[in-house]
Every structure is written in C-alpha cells, then in structure tokens.
Amino acid sequence: MTELLEAVAEASNEARAQRTLRLAAALYEADKLGDIKQKDLVAKTGLTRETIRRHIEDEKIRRGEIDPTPRYTAEQERAAKRRAARES
C-alpha cells in the first residue's frame, strides 16, 4: 500500500507542476494580447491578481525575457529540495 500511495503522490505532484506551467503559459499569452484586462482574468479563473502576476512573471523568466527574481530563485531551490527528498 505504501508504494501505491507514493506513486499516486508523485503523479499528483508532477501533474500539479505541469498544470502550473500550462496555466502560466496561458496567462502569459492572454496578457500579451493586450485586449484582455487582468480583472477579467481574475473573474474567469478565480485566481488573485497577485497570483496571475506571479505566473506571468515566472513565464517571462522561463522565456528569458526578464532576469530571475529572488522570489523565483527561492521557489526553484525549494522545488529542487522537494524533488530530492522524494527521490531519496
């Protein structure tokens, strides 16, 4: 049973990470269009303005448009530690 639960947890974490990347890319593209206001994104997605802003910022970093921020770097380090802990 432990192996099953670990497999489900790993799949869930990976699925969540992939969903976050897809969400960030979609928000970035919507923001780039310019005709969609952030308040509309808030209403449609249920996300806060700050969450939307962070997703767009993260996508700009991944695309090399802006330099990594301290927040982004710290989150990447935390994610790497979580992955390492799961693998050990």
Side-chain angles (χ1 to χ4, degrees):
M1 187 67 151
T2 301
E3 289 178 22
L4 173 63
L5 295 176
E6 288 174 357
V8 168
E10 288 176 12
S12 296
N13 288 335
E14 180 61 29
R16 190 175 305 115
Q18 291 302 315
R19 179 181 175 273
T20 299
L21 291 174
R22 287 193 318 270
L23 176 62
L27 289 168
Y28 169 85
E29 293 297 333
D31 185 62
K32 251 177 90 169
L33 292 175
D35 60 340
I36 299 174
K37 294 186 172 29
Q38 200 171 67
K39 68 178 183 170
D40 297 329
L41 291 173
V42 169
K44 295 283 185 190
T45 64
L47 300 172
T48 65
R49 292 181 93 132
E50 178 60 19
T51 298
I52 291 169
R53 186 201 64 73
R54 280 187 283 119
H55 280 306
I56 292 169
E57 179 180 80
D58 289 355
E59 188 63 20
K60 287 180 178 179
I61 292 167
R62 281 189 287 276
R63 291 175 185 233
E65 294 180 12
I66 61 174
D67 291 332
T69 62
R71 178 197 56 80
Y72 181 85
T73 303
E75 176 55 35
Q76 294 303 303
E77 290 171 1
R78 283 190 297 272
K81 286 179 183 177
R82 286 191 301 268
R83 281 191 301 275
R86 281 195 307 266
E87 293 172 0
S88 61

